[in-house]
Short mmCIF file of all heavy atoms in Angstrom, two decimals:
data_model
loop_
_atom_site.label_atom_id
_atom_site.label_comp_id
_atom_site.label_asym_id
_atom_site.label_seq_id
_atom_site.Cartn_x
_atom_site.Cartn_y
_atom_site.Cartn_z
N MET A 111 -74.89 10.48 -119.24
CA MET A 111 -73.90 9.53 -118.75
C MET A 111 -73.08 10.19 -117.65
O MET A 111 -72.96 11.39 -117.57
CB MET A 111 -73.01 9.09 -119.92
CG MET A 111 -72.14 7.89 -119.61
SD MET A 111 -73.07 6.42 -119.14
CE MET A 111 -71.72 5.28 -118.89
N ILE A 112 -72.53 9.38 -116.84
CA ILE A 112 -71.79 9.91 -115.70
C ILE A 112 -70.31 9.96 -116.01
O ILE A 112 -69.88 9.67 -117.11
CB ILE A 112 -72.04 9.05 -114.44
CG1 ILE A 112 -71.64 7.62 -114.71
CG2 ILE A 112 -73.50 9.14 -114.05
CD1 ILE A 112 -71.81 6.76 -113.48
N ALA A 113 -69.55 10.30 -115.00
CA ALA A 113 -68.12 10.50 -115.19
C ALA A 113 -67.41 9.24 -115.68
O ALA A 113 -66.30 9.31 -116.16
CB ALA A 113 -67.49 10.96 -113.88
N VAL A 114 -68.07 8.13 -115.57
CA VAL A 114 -67.47 6.86 -115.98
C VAL A 114 -66.97 6.94 -117.42
O VAL A 114 -65.93 6.40 -117.76
CB VAL A 114 -68.50 5.73 -115.87
CG1 VAL A 114 -67.92 4.42 -116.37
CG2 VAL A 114 -68.96 5.59 -114.43
N ALA A 115 -67.71 7.65 -118.24
CA ALA A 115 -67.41 7.62 -119.67
C ALA A 115 -66.44 8.72 -120.08
O ALA A 115 -66.05 8.79 -121.23
CB ALA A 115 -68.70 7.78 -120.46
N ARG A 116 -66.08 9.55 -119.15
CA ARG A 116 -65.23 10.67 -119.51
C ARG A 116 -63.76 10.33 -119.44
O ARG A 116 -63.36 9.42 -118.75
CB ARG A 116 -65.51 11.85 -118.56
CG ARG A 116 -66.64 12.71 -119.07
CD ARG A 116 -66.73 14.00 -118.30
NE ARG A 116 -68.14 14.28 -118.02
CZ ARG A 116 -68.59 14.58 -116.81
NH1 ARG A 116 -67.76 14.62 -115.80
NH2 ARG A 116 -69.86 14.83 -116.62
N GLY A 117 -62.99 11.11 -120.13
CA GLY A 117 -61.55 10.94 -120.07
C GLY A 117 -61.08 9.86 -121.01
O GLY A 117 -61.86 9.06 -121.51
N ASP A 118 -59.79 9.87 -121.27
CA ASP A 118 -59.24 8.88 -122.18
C ASP A 118 -58.39 7.86 -121.45
O ASP A 118 -57.76 7.03 -122.06
CB ASP A 118 -58.44 9.57 -123.27
CG ASP A 118 -57.53 10.64 -122.69
OD1 ASP A 118 -57.38 10.67 -121.46
OD2 ASP A 118 -56.98 11.42 -123.46
N GLY A 119 -58.36 7.95 -120.16
CA GLY A 119 -57.62 6.95 -119.38
C GLY A 119 -58.47 5.73 -119.17
O GLY A 119 -59.57 5.62 -119.71
N PRO A 120 -57.94 4.79 -118.42
CA PRO A 120 -58.73 3.61 -118.09
C PRO A 120 -59.94 3.99 -117.28
O PRO A 120 -59.92 4.97 -116.54
CB PRO A 120 -57.77 2.74 -117.28
CG PRO A 120 -56.76 3.70 -116.74
CD PRO A 120 -56.65 4.80 -117.78
N ARG A 121 -60.97 3.25 -117.47
CA ARG A 121 -62.18 3.55 -116.73
C ARG A 121 -62.08 2.98 -115.32
O ARG A 121 -62.48 1.86 -115.06
CB ARG A 121 -63.38 2.96 -117.44
CG ARG A 121 -63.66 3.64 -118.77
CD ARG A 121 -64.90 3.10 -119.40
NE ARG A 121 -65.21 3.81 -120.63
CZ ARG A 121 -66.26 3.56 -121.38
NH1 ARG A 121 -67.09 2.60 -121.03
NH2 ARG A 121 -66.48 4.24 -122.47
N VAL A 122 -61.51 3.77 -114.49
CA VAL A 122 -61.26 3.32 -113.13
C VAL A 122 -62.02 4.21 -112.17
O VAL A 122 -61.96 5.42 -112.26
CB VAL A 122 -59.76 3.35 -112.81
CG1 VAL A 122 -59.53 3.02 -111.35
CG2 VAL A 122 -59.03 2.38 -113.70
N LEU A 123 -62.69 3.61 -111.27
CA LEU A 123 -63.51 4.37 -110.34
C LEU A 123 -63.10 4.06 -108.91
O LEU A 123 -63.21 2.92 -108.48
CB LEU A 123 -64.98 4.01 -110.53
CG LEU A 123 -65.53 4.25 -111.93
CD1 LEU A 123 -66.89 3.60 -112.04
CD2 LEU A 123 -65.62 5.71 -112.23
N PRO A 124 -62.65 5.05 -108.20
CA PRO A 124 -62.33 4.83 -106.79
C PRO A 124 -63.59 4.86 -105.95
O PRO A 124 -63.76 5.69 -105.08
CB PRO A 124 -61.41 6.00 -106.47
CG PRO A 124 -61.91 7.10 -107.36
CD PRO A 124 -62.40 6.42 -108.62
N GLY A 125 -64.46 3.96 -106.23
CA GLY A 125 -65.73 4.00 -105.52
C GLY A 125 -66.33 2.63 -105.37
O GLY A 125 -65.65 1.63 -105.54
N SER A 126 -67.55 2.61 -105.06
CA SER A 126 -68.20 1.34 -104.86
C SER A 126 -69.65 1.42 -105.32
O SER A 126 -70.27 2.48 -105.29
CB SER A 126 -68.14 0.94 -103.39
OG SER A 126 -68.72 1.94 -102.58
N LEU A 127 -70.11 0.30 -105.73
CA LEU A 127 -71.51 0.21 -106.12
C LEU A 127 -72.36 -0.02 -104.88
O LEU A 127 -71.98 -0.72 -103.97
CB LEU A 127 -71.71 -0.95 -107.09
CG LEU A 127 -71.15 -0.74 -108.49
CD1 LEU A 127 -71.25 -2.03 -109.27
CD2 LEU A 127 -71.91 0.36 -109.21
N LEU A 128 -73.49 0.58 -104.90
CA LEU A 128 -74.41 0.36 -103.80
C LEU A 128 -75.83 0.48 -104.32
O LEU A 128 -76.06 0.83 -105.48
CB LEU A 128 -74.16 1.37 -102.68
CG LEU A 128 -74.16 2.86 -103.05
CD1 LEU A 128 -75.56 3.43 -103.01
CD2 LEU A 128 -73.26 3.62 -102.13
N THR A 129 -76.74 0.16 -103.49
CA THR A 129 -78.14 0.25 -103.88
C THR A 129 -78.85 1.26 -102.99
O THR A 129 -78.85 1.12 -101.77
CB THR A 129 -78.83 -1.12 -103.75
OG1 THR A 129 -78.15 -2.05 -104.58
CG2 THR A 129 -80.28 -1.03 -104.18
N LEU A 130 -79.39 2.25 -103.62
CA LEU A 130 -80.16 3.24 -102.87
C LEU A 130 -81.57 2.71 -102.67
O LEU A 130 -82.18 2.17 -103.58
CB LEU A 130 -80.23 4.56 -103.64
CG LEU A 130 -78.91 5.27 -103.92
CD1 LEU A 130 -79.18 6.51 -104.75
CD2 LEU A 130 -78.23 5.64 -102.63
N ARG A 131 -82.04 2.86 -101.47
CA ARG A 131 -83.42 2.47 -101.20
C ARG A 131 -84.17 3.69 -100.68
O ARG A 131 -83.75 4.31 -99.73
CB ARG A 131 -83.46 1.34 -100.17
CG ARG A 131 -82.88 0.05 -100.71
CD ARG A 131 -82.97 -1.07 -99.70
NE ARG A 131 -82.42 -2.30 -100.23
CZ ARG A 131 -81.12 -2.59 -100.25
NH1 ARG A 131 -80.27 -1.74 -99.75
NH2 ARG A 131 -80.70 -3.72 -100.76
N ARG A 132 -85.23 4.00 -101.35
CA ARG A 132 -85.95 5.19 -100.92
C ARG A 132 -87.43 5.02 -101.16
O ARG A 132 -87.87 4.15 -101.91
CB ARG A 132 -85.44 6.42 -101.67
CG ARG A 132 -85.64 6.32 -103.15
CD ARG A 132 -84.84 7.39 -103.88
NE ARG A 132 -85.00 7.23 -105.33
CZ ARG A 132 -85.97 7.80 -106.02
NH1 ARG A 132 -86.84 8.56 -105.43
NH2 ARG A 132 -86.08 7.60 -107.31
N LYS A 133 -88.15 5.88 -100.53
CA LYS A 133 -89.59 5.87 -100.68
C LYS A 133 -90.01 7.19 -101.30
O LYS A 133 -89.68 8.26 -100.79
CB LYS A 133 -90.27 5.70 -99.31
CG LYS A 133 -89.88 4.41 -98.63
CD LYS A 133 -90.56 4.30 -97.27
CE LYS A 133 -90.17 2.99 -96.58
NZ LYS A 133 -90.85 2.81 -95.29
N CYS A 134 -90.72 7.12 -102.39
CA CYS A 134 -91.15 8.35 -103.04
C CYS A 134 -92.35 8.94 -102.34
O CYS A 134 -92.65 10.11 -102.48
CB CYS A 134 -91.44 8.10 -104.51
SG CYS A 134 -92.89 7.08 -104.82
N GLY A 135 -93.05 8.12 -101.59
CA GLY A 135 -94.15 8.64 -100.80
C GLY A 135 -95.49 8.67 -101.52
O GLY A 135 -96.50 9.04 -100.93
N LYS A 136 -95.48 8.28 -102.78
CA LYS A 136 -96.75 8.31 -103.50
C LYS A 136 -97.64 7.15 -103.05
O LYS A 136 -97.20 6.00 -103.01
CB LYS A 136 -96.50 8.20 -105.00
CG LYS A 136 -95.82 9.43 -105.56
CD LYS A 136 -95.54 9.24 -107.05
CE LYS A 136 -94.78 10.45 -107.59
NZ LYS A 136 -94.33 10.23 -108.98
N PRO A 137 -98.86 7.46 -102.73
CA PRO A 137 -99.77 6.39 -102.32
C PRO A 137 -100.01 5.42 -103.48
O PRO A 137 -100.06 5.82 -104.63
CB PRO A 137 -101.06 7.13 -101.96
CG PRO A 137 -100.97 8.45 -102.65
CD PRO A 137 -99.50 8.78 -102.73
N GLY A 138 -100.09 4.17 -103.15
CA GLY A 138 -100.35 3.19 -104.18
C GLY A 138 -99.09 2.51 -104.68
O GLY A 138 -99.15 1.46 -105.30
N PHE A 139 -97.93 3.12 -104.42
CA PHE A 139 -96.68 2.48 -104.82
C PHE A 139 -96.28 1.47 -103.74
O PHE A 139 -96.66 1.59 -102.58
CB PHE A 139 -95.57 3.52 -104.98
CG PHE A 139 -95.62 4.22 -106.30
CD1 PHE A 139 -96.61 5.15 -106.56
CD2 PHE A 139 -94.68 3.94 -107.28
CE1 PHE A 139 -96.67 5.80 -107.77
CE2 PHE A 139 -94.74 4.59 -108.50
CZ PHE A 139 -95.74 5.53 -108.75
N LEU A 140 -95.46 0.55 -104.14
CA LEU A 140 -95.03 -0.48 -103.20
C LEU A 140 -94.30 0.13 -102.01
O LEU A 140 -94.39 -0.38 -100.90
CB LEU A 140 -94.11 -1.49 -103.89
CG LEU A 140 -94.79 -2.59 -104.69
CD1 LEU A 140 -93.74 -3.47 -105.34
CD2 LEU A 140 -95.70 -3.41 -103.79
N CYS A 141 -93.62 1.22 -102.24
CA CYS A 141 -92.84 1.82 -101.16
C CYS A 141 -93.75 2.27 -100.02
O CYS A 141 -93.32 2.36 -98.87
CB CYS A 141 -92.03 3.00 -101.67
SG CYS A 141 -93.01 4.36 -102.30
N ALA A 142 -94.97 2.58 -100.34
CA ALA A 142 -95.89 3.04 -99.31
C ALA A 142 -96.22 1.93 -98.33
O ALA A 142 -96.65 2.18 -97.20
CB ALA A 142 -97.17 3.58 -99.94
N THR A 143 -96.01 0.71 -98.78
CA THR A 143 -96.32 -0.41 -97.90
C THR A 143 -95.07 -1.09 -97.39
O THR A 143 -95.10 -2.26 -97.02
CB THR A 143 -97.23 -1.42 -98.63
OG1 THR A 143 -96.56 -1.86 -99.81
CG2 THR A 143 -98.55 -0.79 -99.00
N GLY A 144 -93.95 -0.40 -97.45
CA GLY A 144 -92.75 -0.91 -96.82
C GLY A 144 -91.76 -1.57 -97.75
O GLY A 144 -90.83 -2.22 -97.31
N SER A 145 -91.95 -1.43 -99.05
CA SER A 145 -90.99 -1.99 -100.00
C SER A 145 -90.38 -0.87 -100.82
O SER A 145 -90.91 -0.51 -101.87
CB SER A 145 -91.71 -3.00 -100.91
OG SER A 145 -90.79 -3.62 -101.76
N PRO A 146 -89.30 -0.30 -100.34
CA PRO A 146 -88.74 0.88 -100.99
C PRO A 146 -88.20 0.60 -102.38
O PRO A 146 -87.87 -0.54 -102.72
CB PRO A 146 -87.61 1.30 -100.05
CG PRO A 146 -87.25 0.07 -99.32
CD PRO A 146 -88.52 -0.73 -99.18
N HIS A 147 -88.14 1.64 -103.17
CA HIS A 147 -87.55 1.53 -104.50
C HIS A 147 -86.06 1.27 -104.37
O HIS A 147 -85.39 1.90 -103.55
CB HIS A 147 -87.75 2.83 -105.28
CG HIS A 147 -89.19 3.20 -105.45
ND1 HIS A 147 -89.98 2.65 -106.42
CD2 HIS A 147 -89.97 4.04 -104.75
CE1 HIS A 147 -91.19 3.15 -106.31
NE2 HIS A 147 -91.23 4.01 -105.30
N GLU A 148 -85.54 0.43 -105.20
CA GLU A 148 -84.10 0.16 -105.19
C GLU A 148 -83.48 0.71 -106.46
O GLU A 148 -83.89 0.36 -107.55
CB GLU A 148 -83.84 -1.33 -105.05
CG GLU A 148 -84.34 -1.88 -103.73
CD GLU A 148 -83.86 -3.30 -103.48
OE1 GLU A 148 -83.30 -3.90 -104.42
OE2 GLU A 148 -84.06 -3.78 -102.36
N THR A 149 -82.51 1.57 -106.27
CA THR A 149 -81.84 2.19 -107.40
C THR A 149 -80.35 1.91 -107.32
O THR A 149 -79.72 2.23 -106.30
CB THR A 149 -82.06 3.72 -107.38
OG1 THR A 149 -83.45 3.99 -107.37
CG2 THR A 149 -81.42 4.37 -108.59
N PRO A 150 -79.78 1.33 -108.34
CA PRO A 150 -78.33 1.12 -108.33
C PRO A 150 -77.62 2.46 -108.37
O PRO A 150 -78.05 3.38 -109.06
CB PRO A 150 -78.06 0.31 -109.59
CG PRO A 150 -79.23 0.60 -110.48
CD PRO A 150 -80.40 0.85 -109.58
N ALA A 151 -76.54 2.57 -107.64
CA ALA A 151 -75.83 3.84 -107.58
C ALA A 151 -74.35 3.57 -107.40
O ALA A 151 -73.92 2.50 -106.99
CB ALA A 151 -76.35 4.70 -106.45
N LEU A 152 -73.59 4.59 -107.73
CA LEU A 152 -72.14 4.52 -107.57
C LEU A 152 -71.72 5.65 -106.64
O LEU A 152 -72.11 6.79 -106.84
CB LEU A 152 -71.47 4.69 -108.93
CG LEU A 152 -69.95 4.79 -108.92
CD1 LEU A 152 -69.35 3.45 -108.58
CD2 LEU A 152 -69.47 5.28 -110.26
N SER A 153 -70.99 5.31 -105.62
CA SER A 153 -70.47 6.36 -104.75
C SER A 153 -68.95 6.35 -104.84
O SER A 153 -68.33 5.30 -104.93
CB SER A 153 -70.93 6.14 -103.31
OG SER A 153 -70.16 5.14 -102.69
N PHE A 154 -68.40 7.53 -104.85
CA PHE A 154 -66.95 7.61 -104.86
C PHE A 154 -66.51 8.91 -104.21
O PHE A 154 -67.27 9.87 -104.08
CB PHE A 154 -66.39 7.48 -106.28
CG PHE A 154 -66.85 8.58 -107.19
CD1 PHE A 154 -66.08 9.70 -107.37
CD2 PHE A 154 -68.04 8.46 -107.88
CE1 PHE A 154 -66.49 10.72 -108.21
CE2 PHE A 154 -68.47 9.47 -108.72
CZ PHE A 154 -67.70 10.60 -108.90
N SER A 155 -65.26 8.94 -103.81
CA SER A 155 -64.75 10.09 -103.09
C SER A 155 -64.05 11.05 -104.04
O SER A 155 -63.28 10.64 -104.90
CB SER A 155 -63.76 9.64 -102.01
OG SER A 155 -64.41 8.81 -101.08
N VAL A 156 -64.33 12.30 -103.86
CA VAL A 156 -63.61 13.35 -104.56
C VAL A 156 -63.05 14.26 -103.50
O VAL A 156 -63.77 15.05 -102.90
CB VAL A 156 -64.53 14.13 -105.52
CG1 VAL A 156 -63.76 15.25 -106.18
CG2 VAL A 156 -65.14 13.20 -106.54
N GLY A 157 -61.76 14.11 -103.23
CA GLY A 157 -61.21 14.83 -102.11
C GLY A 157 -61.84 14.33 -100.82
O GLY A 157 -61.84 13.13 -100.56
N VAL A 158 -62.40 15.24 -100.09
CA VAL A 158 -63.00 14.85 -98.81
C VAL A 158 -64.50 14.60 -98.96
O VAL A 158 -65.18 14.25 -98.01
CB VAL A 158 -62.77 15.93 -97.73
CG1 VAL A 158 -61.28 16.07 -97.46
CG2 VAL A 158 -63.39 17.26 -98.16
N ARG A 159 -64.99 14.79 -100.16
CA ARG A 159 -66.42 14.65 -100.35
C ARG A 159 -66.75 13.33 -101.03
O ARG A 159 -65.94 12.78 -101.78
CB ARG A 159 -66.96 15.80 -101.22
CG ARG A 159 -66.49 17.14 -100.75
CD ARG A 159 -67.04 18.25 -101.60
NE ARG A 159 -68.48 18.41 -101.37
CZ ARG A 159 -69.19 19.43 -101.85
NH1 ARG A 159 -68.62 20.33 -102.59
NH2 ARG A 159 -70.47 19.52 -101.59
N THR A 160 -67.91 12.85 -100.70
CA THR A 160 -68.38 11.63 -101.35
C THR A 160 -69.50 12.00 -102.31
O THR A 160 -70.47 12.65 -101.93
CB THR A 160 -68.90 10.64 -100.31
OG1 THR A 160 -67.84 10.29 -99.44
CG2 THR A 160 -69.42 9.38 -100.99
N LYS A 161 -69.32 11.59 -103.53
CA LYS A 161 -70.35 11.86 -104.52
C LYS A 161 -71.10 10.58 -104.84
O LYS A 161 -70.55 9.48 -104.76
CB LYS A 161 -69.72 12.43 -105.80
CG LYS A 161 -69.04 13.75 -105.56
CD LYS A 161 -68.97 14.56 -106.82
CE LYS A 161 -68.45 15.96 -106.53
NZ LYS A 161 -68.67 16.87 -107.66
N MET A 162 -72.30 10.75 -105.22
CA MET A 162 -73.11 9.59 -105.51
C MET A 162 -73.92 9.82 -106.78
O MET A 162 -74.51 10.87 -106.96
CB MET A 162 -74.05 9.30 -104.33
CG MET A 162 -74.47 7.89 -104.28
SD MET A 162 -74.88 7.25 -102.66
CE MET A 162 -75.09 8.68 -101.64
N PHE A 163 -73.88 8.86 -107.64
CA PHE A 163 -74.66 8.93 -108.86
C PHE A 163 -75.63 7.76 -108.91
O PHE A 163 -75.23 6.63 -108.68
CB PHE A 163 -73.75 8.82 -110.10
CG PHE A 163 -72.94 10.06 -110.36
CD1 PHE A 163 -71.62 10.11 -109.98
CD2 PHE A 163 -73.51 11.15 -111.00
CE1 PHE A 163 -70.85 11.25 -110.23
CE2 PHE A 163 -72.75 12.28 -111.24
CZ PHE A 163 -71.43 12.33 -110.86
N ALA A 164 -76.83 8.07 -109.23
CA ALA A 164 -77.75 6.99 -109.55
C ALA A 164 -77.39 6.46 -110.93
O ALA A 164 -76.98 7.21 -111.82
CB ALA A 164 -79.19 7.50 -109.54
N LEU A 165 -77.48 5.17 -111.09
CA LEU A 165 -77.09 4.55 -112.34
C LEU A 165 -78.30 4.06 -113.11
O LEU A 165 -79.25 3.55 -112.51
CB LEU A 165 -76.16 3.37 -112.08
CG LEU A 165 -74.84 3.69 -111.39
CD1 LEU A 165 -74.11 2.41 -111.07
CD2 LEU A 165 -73.98 4.59 -112.25
N LEU A 166 -78.23 4.23 -114.40
CA LEU A 166 -79.21 3.58 -115.25
C LEU A 166 -78.85 2.11 -115.34
O LEU A 166 -77.68 1.74 -115.16
CB LEU A 166 -79.21 4.21 -116.65
CG LEU A 166 -79.58 5.69 -116.69
CD1 LEU A 166 -79.41 6.23 -118.10
CD2 LEU A 166 -81.00 5.92 -116.19
N PRO A 167 -79.83 1.29 -115.63
CA PRO A 167 -79.54 -0.16 -115.66
C PRO A 167 -78.37 -0.52 -116.57
O PRO A 167 -77.57 -1.39 -116.22
CB PRO A 167 -80.86 -0.74 -116.19
CG PRO A 167 -81.90 0.21 -115.71
CD PRO A 167 -81.27 1.58 -115.77
N ASP A 168 -78.26 0.16 -117.71
CA ASP A 168 -77.17 -0.21 -118.62
C ASP A 168 -75.84 0.40 -118.21
O ASP A 168 -74.81 0.15 -118.83
CB ASP A 168 -77.52 0.14 -120.07
CG ASP A 168 -77.72 1.65 -120.24
OD1 ASP A 168 -77.81 2.35 -119.23
OD2 ASP A 168 -77.76 2.09 -121.40
N GLU A 169 -75.86 1.23 -117.20
CA GLU A 169 -74.60 1.80 -116.71
C GLU A 169 -73.99 0.94 -115.61
O GLU A 169 -72.82 1.09 -115.29
CB GLU A 169 -74.84 3.20 -116.17
CG GLU A 169 -75.16 4.21 -117.24
CD GLU A 169 -75.47 5.56 -116.64
OE1 GLU A 169 -76.07 5.62 -115.56
OE2 GLU A 169 -75.12 6.56 -117.27
N VAL A 170 -74.78 0.09 -115.04
CA VAL A 170 -74.29 -0.72 -113.92
C VAL A 170 -73.11 -1.60 -114.30
O VAL A 170 -72.10 -1.62 -113.59
CB VAL A 170 -75.43 -1.57 -113.33
CG1 VAL A 170 -74.90 -2.52 -112.27
CG2 VAL A 170 -76.50 -0.65 -112.70
N PRO A 171 -73.18 -2.30 -115.43
CA PRO A 171 -72.02 -3.13 -115.80
C PRO A 171 -70.76 -2.30 -116.02
O PRO A 171 -69.67 -2.74 -115.66
CB PRO A 171 -72.46 -3.80 -117.11
CG PRO A 171 -73.95 -3.74 -117.08
CD PRO A 171 -74.30 -2.47 -116.36
N VAL A 172 -70.92 -1.13 -116.59
CA VAL A 172 -69.76 -0.26 -116.81
C VAL A 172 -69.16 0.17 -115.48
O VAL A 172 -67.95 0.10 -115.26
CB VAL A 172 -70.16 0.99 -117.63
CG1 VAL A 172 -68.95 1.92 -117.80
CG2 VAL A 172 -70.72 0.58 -118.98
N ALA A 173 -70.01 0.58 -114.60
CA ALA A 173 -69.54 1.02 -113.29
C ALA A 173 -68.93 -0.14 -112.52
O ALA A 173 -67.90 0.01 -111.86
CB ALA A 173 -70.70 1.62 -112.49
N ALA A 174 -69.54 -1.28 -112.62
CA ALA A 174 -69.03 -2.44 -111.91
C ALA A 174 -67.64 -2.80 -112.41
O ALA A 174 -66.76 -3.17 -111.64
CB ALA A 174 -69.98 -3.62 -112.08
N THR A 175 -67.43 -2.66 -113.71
CA THR A 175 -66.11 -2.96 -114.27
C THR A 175 -65.08 -1.98 -113.75
O THR A 175 -63.98 -2.37 -113.36
CB THR A 175 -66.17 -2.86 -115.80
OG1 THR A 175 -67.12 -3.79 -116.28
CG2 THR A 175 -64.81 -3.17 -116.40
N GLY A 176 -65.45 -0.71 -113.71
CA GLY A 176 -64.53 0.30 -113.21
C GLY A 176 -64.16 0.05 -111.76
O GLY A 176 -63.01 0.15 -111.37
N VAL A 177 -65.15 -0.25 -110.97
CA VAL A 177 -64.90 -0.49 -109.55
C VAL A 177 -64.03 -1.72 -109.36
O VAL A 177 -63.13 -1.74 -108.53
CB VAL A 177 -66.24 -0.65 -108.80
CG1 VAL A 177 -65.99 -1.13 -107.37
CG2 VAL A 177 -67.01 0.67 -108.80
N THR A 178 -64.28 -2.71 -110.16
CA THR A 178 -63.52 -3.95 -110.02
C THR A 178 -62.06 -3.74 -110.38
O THR A 178 -61.17 -4.28 -109.74
CB THR A 178 -64.11 -5.03 -110.95
OG1 THR A 178 -65.46 -5.24 -110.59
CG2 THR A 178 -63.33 -6.33 -110.81
N ARG A 179 -61.83 -2.89 -111.38
CA ARG A 179 -60.45 -2.70 -111.84
C ARG A 179 -59.67 -1.79 -110.92
O ARG A 179 -58.45 -1.80 -110.94
CB ARG A 179 -60.48 -2.10 -113.25
CG ARG A 179 -60.93 -3.09 -114.27
CD ARG A 179 -61.14 -2.42 -115.61
NE ARG A 179 -59.90 -1.78 -116.08
CZ ARG A 179 -59.83 -1.12 -117.22
NH1 ARG A 179 -60.88 -1.02 -117.97
NH2 ARG A 179 -58.70 -0.57 -117.59
N TYR A 180 -60.35 -1.02 -110.14
CA TYR A 180 -59.66 0.01 -109.35
C TYR A 180 -58.54 -0.55 -108.47
O TYR A 180 -57.44 0.00 -108.47
CB TYR A 180 -60.68 0.76 -108.50
CG TYR A 180 -60.05 1.81 -107.63
CD1 TYR A 180 -59.40 2.90 -108.19
CD2 TYR A 180 -60.10 1.71 -106.25
CE1 TYR A 180 -58.83 3.88 -107.40
CE2 TYR A 180 -59.53 2.68 -105.45
CZ TYR A 180 -58.89 3.76 -106.03
OH TYR A 180 -58.31 4.71 -105.23
N PRO A 181 -58.78 -1.62 -107.74
CA PRO A 181 -57.72 -2.10 -106.83
C PRO A 181 -56.46 -2.54 -107.57
O PRO A 181 -55.38 -2.57 -107.00
CB PRO A 181 -58.37 -3.30 -106.14
CG PRO A 181 -59.83 -3.04 -106.26
CD PRO A 181 -60.00 -2.36 -107.60
N GLU A 182 -56.61 -2.85 -108.84
CA GLU A 182 -55.45 -3.34 -109.59
C GLU A 182 -54.46 -2.22 -109.88
O GLU A 182 -53.28 -2.47 -110.03
CB GLU A 182 -55.90 -3.95 -110.91
CG GLU A 182 -56.84 -5.13 -110.72
CD GLU A 182 -57.36 -5.62 -112.06
OE1 GLU A 182 -56.85 -5.15 -113.09
OE2 GLU A 182 -58.26 -6.45 -112.06
N VAL A 183 -54.95 -1.01 -110.00
CA VAL A 183 -54.08 0.07 -110.45
C VAL A 183 -53.85 1.12 -109.39
O VAL A 183 -52.97 1.95 -109.51
CB VAL A 183 -54.68 0.75 -111.71
CG1 VAL A 183 -54.69 -0.23 -112.85
CG2 VAL A 183 -56.05 1.30 -111.42
N ALA A 184 -54.67 1.11 -108.36
CA ALA A 184 -54.55 2.17 -107.37
C ALA A 184 -53.51 1.82 -106.31
O ALA A 184 -53.38 0.66 -105.93
CB ALA A 184 -55.89 2.38 -106.68
N PRO A 185 -52.78 2.81 -105.89
CA PRO A 185 -51.87 2.57 -104.76
C PRO A 185 -52.69 2.28 -103.51
O PRO A 185 -53.74 2.88 -103.31
CB PRO A 185 -51.10 3.89 -104.64
CG PRO A 185 -51.98 4.91 -105.27
CD PRO A 185 -52.74 4.19 -106.36
N SER A 186 -52.21 1.42 -102.71
CA SER A 186 -52.95 1.09 -101.49
C SER A 186 -52.89 2.26 -100.53
O SER A 186 -51.90 2.97 -100.46
CB SER A 186 -52.37 -0.16 -100.85
OG SER A 186 -51.00 0.06 -100.58
N ARG A 187 -53.98 2.43 -99.82
CA ARG A 187 -54.04 3.54 -98.87
C ARG A 187 -53.96 3.01 -97.46
O ARG A 187 -54.65 2.05 -97.16
CB ARG A 187 -55.33 4.30 -99.02
CG ARG A 187 -55.45 4.93 -100.38
CD ARG A 187 -56.73 5.78 -100.44
NE ARG A 187 -57.02 6.13 -101.81
CZ ARG A 187 -58.10 6.82 -102.15
NH1 ARG A 187 -58.94 7.21 -101.26
NH2 ARG A 187 -58.32 7.10 -103.40
ZN1 LIG B 206 -92.56 4.94 -104.43
#
C-alpha cells in the first residue's frame, strides 16, 4: 500500500490522479500496435520533487477520495 494509508490524520493527498500510458515493448501485446497500457497513478509533490505511485485498482477510490478532500483543508497557494 502507498502513503495513502499511513498516518492517523485525514487521508489527504496534495496530488492528483492521472493515468500512465506506457508500452512494455513485448511483441504480441496491444501496446506493440499502438495501444499503450493504462495504469492509474497518483502524483504528488514532496517539497520540490514530484512523486508518482502506480495504483492498484482497489487503491484508486481511496486515492480519489484523498485528492478530492485536499482542497477543503489545504491553504490556498
Ligand atoms: Zn505491453
Side-chain angles (χ1 to χ4, degrees):
M111 193 59 180
I112 58 177
V114 177
R116 272 191 222 130
D118 45 11
R121 293 184 176 181
V122 174
L123 302 169
S126 57
L127 288 172
L128 54 87
T129 301
L130 298 177
R131 293 182 180 82
R132 61 193 177 89
K133 300 179 180 183
C134 68
K136 292 177 183 173
F139 279 72
L140 278 178
C141 64
T143 58
S145 184
H147 301 279
E148 296 190 351
T149 304
L152 174 71
S153 79
F154 62 93
S155 298
V156 177
V158 296
R159 311 181 70 171
T160 299
K161 297 205 172 194
M162 204 153 16
F163 287 100
L165 298 174
L166 298 175
D168 62 348
E169 290 177 324
V170 173
V172 178
T175 300
V177 171
T178 300
R179 289 172 59 180
Y180 179 64
E182 299 175 9
V183 295
S186 58
R187 298 184 193 177

